[in-house]
Amino acid sequence: MKHLRACWRLLRLLGHIGKGLWIVALRFPALPPDQQHAHVQAWSVQLLAHAGIQLRIEGCPPLTGPVMLVANHLSWLDIPVMHAARHCRFVSKSDVQGWPLIGTLATAAGTLYIERSSRRDALRMVRSMQEALERGEVLAVFPEGTTGDGRAMLPFHANLLQAAVMAGAPVQPVGLRFADQATGATSFAPSYIGDETLVGSIWRTLCAPPIEAVVHYGVPEVADGRDRRAWAQHLHAVVDRLRQA
């Protein structure tokens, strides 16, 4: 039974991805940024529904920028979940840009790409993020740098926080969690870690009972004299509390 349900969800997802590519190719060029953002958010909400995932928002998403969202990283679903809660521009590794289908959609959603192995490119990205924040945009980063297992968080890398320090912009901590809708217990079905394949993680998610994606927004805060490393350690503790609340 669960495999039949998963196949139906997969068919709906593939159709929805096709719809997204059509919108990006034919409609986005004529739309102003705010309408593009609205399309991305609506598309992400529908994506979650097709995958059997219900969205729950706790706390207050930012109404406007400038603000940098800082969240824990669990799954390939994290980006559409956060887009569904509130459109934002993500900072992602450069590899994503070349992924079939996903790269096209990510680029259309305004993703900023960074070559993680290059110190020079990291400096370029910090400057680009600073400029985006000074324009009043909402950015989002996963300071862990990779997905964790959902049980314990990885340390935060502090480099990208420098953009918020330089722009004098607030950072808003965000805790992400996936839960079984029936029991409320943490669901590890969407996890994507280690040697797991993306296809395997997607299939496990589609086979799972209905899942609730919880996005818990904390209170925005400024550096208040802290350097990026001290700020990163503090934000790590705050995000850890939010994801378990």
Side-chain angles (χ1 to χ4, degrees), residues 136-147:
E137 296 186 17
V138 179
L139 304 183
V141 298
F142 299 118
E144 291 170 285
T146 187
T147 50

Side-chain angles (χ1 to χ4, degrees), residues 54-75:
Q54 179 177 316
L55 178 67
R56 175 157 62 94
I57 300 173
E58 298 183 353
C60 298
L63 296 177
T64 60
V67 64
M68 182 189 295
L69 304 177
V70 168
N72 57 309
H73 201 9
L74 300 167
S75 168

Side-chain angles (χ1 to χ4, degrees), residues 8 32 40 42-43 56 65-66 81 93 99 106 109 121 133 147 150 154-155 168 209 231 234 236 245:
W8 173 238
V40 171
W43 184 88
R56 175 157 62 94
V81 164
K93 60 183 181 180
W99 289 359
D121 199 56
L133 290 169
T147 50
L154 300 171
W231 201 9
H234 169 74
H236 185 281

Side-chain angles (χ1 to χ4, degrees), residues 222-245:
V222 294
D224 195 25
R226 291 170 291 195
D227 65 28
R228 66 192 187 193
R229 290 179 179 82
W231 201 9
Q233 290 178 354
H234 169 74
L235 288 166
H236 185 281
V238 176
V239 171
D240 199 20
R241 289 197 299 269
L242 290 170
R243 73 183 184 92
Q244 298 182 74

